[in-house]
Structures are given as C-alpha cells and as structure tokens.
Amino acid sequence: MRNRAWSPGKVALTVAALAVLAIMLVMPLAVVFGEALAKGFAAYFDALRDPDTIAAVRLTLLIAVVTVPLNLAFGIVAAWCVAKFDFRGKGLLVTLIDLPFSVSPVIAGLIYVLVFGLQGWLGPWLRAHDVHIIFALPGMILATLFVTMPFVARELIPLMEAQGTEEEEAAAVLGANGWRTFVRITLPNIRWGLLAGVLTCNARAMGELGAVSVVSGHIRGLTNTMPLHVELLYDSYEIQAAFAVASLLALLALVTLAAKSLLEARNLEGGEP
C-alpha cells in the first residue's frame, strides 16, 4: 500500500515544486499571451495576417514537413541497429546520434556555412553550378536536420532494448522475413514511443533558432522562420506583433506537451515497457 499521508516535508516539497513551475513556466506563458492580446483581438489577428508572418509560418511548416519524416526514418533504422544487433562501431554510432545534444546549434550552423558558403569548401563548385544552399531553404533544412536528429532515435533505443529480441527471433524461426517481422511485431511494440519521438522532433524543428539563424540570411518574407520572425519583430520594436507570433509557438509547445502526456498515459494503460 502506498503511503498517502501528507507529512510537512511532502507539503513543503510540493509547494516548492509548484512555485518553481509557476515562476519558470506559467508566468512566462501568461506574459506571452498577455502581451500578444494587449491591444485586443483585432490587433492580434492583424499581426498574424501580416504577409511576412504568413510566409514565416509556411516556411516553418515546410521545414518541419521535410525534416520530421527524414528523422523518423533515420531514428527507426538507427534504433533498430543499436538495440537489435551487436557490431563493431556500435558505440561510435550512439555517440554520433548524441552529438547534436552536445554541439551548440550556432556552431552547427557555422559548420554548414564553412562547407557550403561562397567561401567554403564547396562554395566555388556550388556557385559554378548555380546551386544555393546557404541563405536558402536547403541550408535551413540541413541545419534543422542536424539539431533534431537524435529525438526519434533516443526515444526508441531504450524502448527497443527493453523489449529484447525474443519476438523477432521467434518470427524468424517461423519463416517471417525482416520486413514482415518489423511491420507485424516491432512496429506495434514501439508505436507510442515512435509517436512521442515524432512530436518532440516536430516541436524542436518548428522552434529551432540558433542553427537556422546562421544559415538563413534573415531575409524577411523569404528565409525567416517563425522564431526568426519573432526576433526580427522584437528588434524592430513591433512588440505586440512579436508576442503574437510567439504565442503560436507557445501554443505549439503546449499542444505537443499535452499530446506527449496522453501518449505516455496510453502507453502505461496498455502495459507496454
């Protein structure tokens, strides 16, 4: 039986935790939405209907639509290899998966500039063939791919390791090929973790600032994503418009958090590891 009695220590810890959450999470969100609606709903929706804002939203969604499926495919393959097989270089693969967690996004963006920029290693060849990477959509996608690469894989690796390989081995003994085994056994077992990884990857892709800022060129209406557009509006003293766009990002974070919590609850109810 769990001890449900409330001791003074438990009360103090609970109050402290709630106070920290209020200061670090609730108050900033309240400020964002308060400033966004400070001039009323008409001004709020006018800011969101601005052509540059609409272009930033479209670009953000486009980058997410490209990067999330690519990271989904990479995450599944990487997690499958790490969790189901032993091979030389396995530790190196895990290290490379975790690399974006330890490298500053700004440094990652700078690396792409040094490789694909006009003065970079491939710059002269790209310019000769009229291929634009930096200050264009491809560079922004590459930078976002780098910073979001670990999220799906890191969600799936411990899940697959906990499940072991017994079911896959039994399927192989019964004559199932690799694809059939993956679709019928592995994929159903990891579906909730997979969805959670996709949600967090999507949220990071839409909210990335550092790496994308370096490779985008900050061209208003062309290469500004939502976070970059917020920064531009704030620097231009368009405070209410900046908070209006920021509120969209805040709503994205809240929806992602709620969806992830629902998936985790569903996972626990289903008795999956």
Side-chain angles (χ1 to χ4, degrees):
M1 294 292 292
R2 293 182 179 178
N3 184 10
R4 298 182 180 274
W6 283 89
S7 65
K10 288 183 180 180
V11 173
L13 289 174
T14 302
V15 171
L18 292 175
V20 171
L21 288 175
I23 295 172
M24 301 298 294
L25 297 177
V26 178
M27 289 179 61
L29 286 174
V31 170
V32 168
F33 287 101
E35 290 291 337
L37 299 171
K39 296 182 180 180
F41 284 97
Y44 177 79
F45 288 112
D46 285 342
L48 297 183
R49 286 194 294 264
D50 180 77
D52 290 339
T53 299
I54 294 174
V57 172
R58 287 175 177 172
L59 181 60
T60 302
L61 294 176
L62 176 59
I63 292 173
V65 166
V66 175
T67 57
V68 171
L70 291 175
N71 276 318
L72 172 63
F74 169 78
I76 292 175
V77 173
W80 176 279
C81 291
V82 171
K84 304 297 183 179
F85 302 99
D86 290 320
F87 54 91
R88 288 184 179 181
K90 181 176 179 179
L92 177 61
L93 175 59
V94 174
T95 301
L96 291 176
I97 292 173
D98 291 337
L99 184 63
F101 285 141
S102 58
V103 175
S104 168
V106 175
I107 300 300
L110 181 60
I111 291 172
Y112 284 111
V113 172
L114 294 175
V115 174
F116 299 109
L118 292 178
Q119 306 302 321
W121 297 345
L122 301 179
W125 185 90
L126 293 172
R127 180 170 53 186
H129 292 79
D130 196 28
V131 177
H132 301 281
I133 303 294
I134 302 302
F135 304 155
L137 179 61
M140 302 172 71
I141 290 175
L142 287 174
T144 306
L145 274 172
F146 179 84
V147 299
T148 58
M149 182 180 66
F151 287 93
V152 176
R154 266 297 160 201
E155 192 77 33
L156 295 181
I157 287 173
L159 181 60
M160 286 187 175
E161 287 178 338
Q163 291 170 350
T165 60
E166 290 81 5
E167 294 184 16
E168 286 85 355
E169 291 172 353
V173 170
L174 294 175
N177 58 31
W179 175 250
R180 187 177 182 85
T181 300
F182 174 77
V183 172
R184 293 295 184 89
I185 296 176
T186 305
L187 189 59
N189 287 339
I190 64 172
R191 61 186 184 278
W192 301 121
L194 189 63
L195 289 174
V198 167
L199 285 173
T200 53
C201 179
N202 181 69
R204 179 60 190 275
M206 289 189 176
E208 174 55 30
L209 175 64
V212 173
S213 177
V214 175
V215 301
S216 70
H218 293 269
I219 305 173
R220 190 165 187 165
L222 292 177
T223 62
N224 267 355
T225 59
M226 290 172 66
L228 295 177
H229 192 54
V230 171
E231 181 184 39
L232 176 64
L233 290 172
Y234 193 84
D235 290 341
S236 302
Y237 299 100
E238 300 178 57
I239 305 301
Q240 191 272 335
F243 278 102
V245 181
S247 69
L248 292 181
L249 290 172
L251 285 173
L252 169 67
L254 292 174
V255 170
T256 301
L257 179 62
K260 193 171 187 296
S261 298
L262 288 174
L263 288 174
E264 289 174 349
R266 182 72 177 271
N267 186 7
L268 292 175
E269 288 176 2
E272 297 179 18

